[in-house]
């Protein structure tokens, strides 16, 4: 029970990671007309989840979880470097590293664990959010499958929350989108433990290009 509650706390909108400030390229997709309603939002999110950073983040979290269980500080540092290098734009790098550092600092302060403190010492610089989630879960001895499923759902929920602020959809539509994609989160979380780092990759070129454009977008409310 405590593990489930811990996950709910870590991945809730109230956890101080600043997720509300980022749209992960969604604001640029709305500006360009790629996302203009419920159906297009669902399609965009499904691609990001299964073909882009959603899938990559779960793979990275799974490997960080394994490294934490093994006490492999160097492996975590190398994995973190890889995760940061995968950010395709300055804004996405900022999104991953700012949330990662905020998550690690908040978790060290509120949910301390000897293994977490010891492994965090090997990560003095920028840290990637998915690696930090996996690290914290592993350091606390939490099971991997629910961690991945909860992290994947939180990824979707944050982007739907961003859509409610910048796209022409309402709360009911956003709830339907989350409900429709939840089975895909479950399937992805079940598949990820069998994937290696060589399976990392994305096919969301429009998101990457949109993120580049967002850096100079005239009117915007998000940092990415």
């Amino acid at each position: 029970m405590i593990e489930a509650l811990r996950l709910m706390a870590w991945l809730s909108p109230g956890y101080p990671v600043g997720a509300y400030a980022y749209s992960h390229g969604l604001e640029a997709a709305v500006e360009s007309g790629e996302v203009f309603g419920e159906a297009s939002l669902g399609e965009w999110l499904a691609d990001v989840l299964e073909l882009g950073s959603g899938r990559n983040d779960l793979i990275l979290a799974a490997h960080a979880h394994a490294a934490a269980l093994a006490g492999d500080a160097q492996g975590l540092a190398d994995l973190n470097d890889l995760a940061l290098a995968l950010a395709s734009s300055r804004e996405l790098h900022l999104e991953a590293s700012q949330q990662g550092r905020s998550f690690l600092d908040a978790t060290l302060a509120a949910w301390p664990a000897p293994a977490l403190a010891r492994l965090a010492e090997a990560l003095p610089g920028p840290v990637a959010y998915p690696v930090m989630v996996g690290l914290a879960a592993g350091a606390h001895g939490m099971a991997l499958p629910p961690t991945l499923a909860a992290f994947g759902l939180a990824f979707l929920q944050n982007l739907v929350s961003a859509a409610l602020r910048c796209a022409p959809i309402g709360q009911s539509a956003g709830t339907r989108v989350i409900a429709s994609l939840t089975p895909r989160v479950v399937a992805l979380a079940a598949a990820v433990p069998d994937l290696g780092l060589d399976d990392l990759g994305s096919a969301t070129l429009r998101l990457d290009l949109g993120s580049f454009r967002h850096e100079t977008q005239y009117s915007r409310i998000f940092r990415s």
Side-chain angles (χ1 to χ4, degrees), residues 125-210:
V127 289
Y129 184 40
V131 175
M132 295 305 100
V133 172
L135 163 59
H140 278 274
M142 297 162 63
L144 180 60
T147 299
L148 294 179
F151 187 37
L153 182 62
F155 177 83
L156 283 182
Q157 288 176 315
N158 184 65
L159 291 181
V160 168
S161 175
L164 296 179
R165 285 171 280 161
C166 70
I169 68 165
Q171 290 181 327
S172 295
T175 300
R176 288 193 296 269
V177 169
I178 291 172
S180 69
L181 293 177
T182 297
R184 299 195 185 198
V185 172
V186 173
L188 182 61
V192 160
D194 295 325
L195 301 180
L197 295 179
D198 287 343
D199 293 300
L200 289 165
S202 69
T204 53
L205 184 59
R206 288 193 300 176
L207 185 154
D208 295 338
L209 294 175

Side-chain angles (χ1 to χ4, degrees), residues 73-132:
Q74 186 57 54
L76 275 168
D78 292 343
L79 183 67
N80 182 64
D81 289 344
L82 174 61
L84 292 173
L86 289 173
S88 57
S89 71
R90 181 184 63 85
E91 288 189 351
L92 293 176
H93 186 282
L94 173 65
E95 177 180 320
S97 59
Q98 185 273 310
Q99 291 187 77
R101 176 54 60 186
S102 296
F103 179 88
L104 180 59
D105 290 347
T107 306
L108 283 169
W111 304 86
L116 180 60
R118 183 175 63 256
L119 292 168
E121 293 178 356
L123 301 165
V127 289
Y129 184 40
V131 175
M132 295 305 100

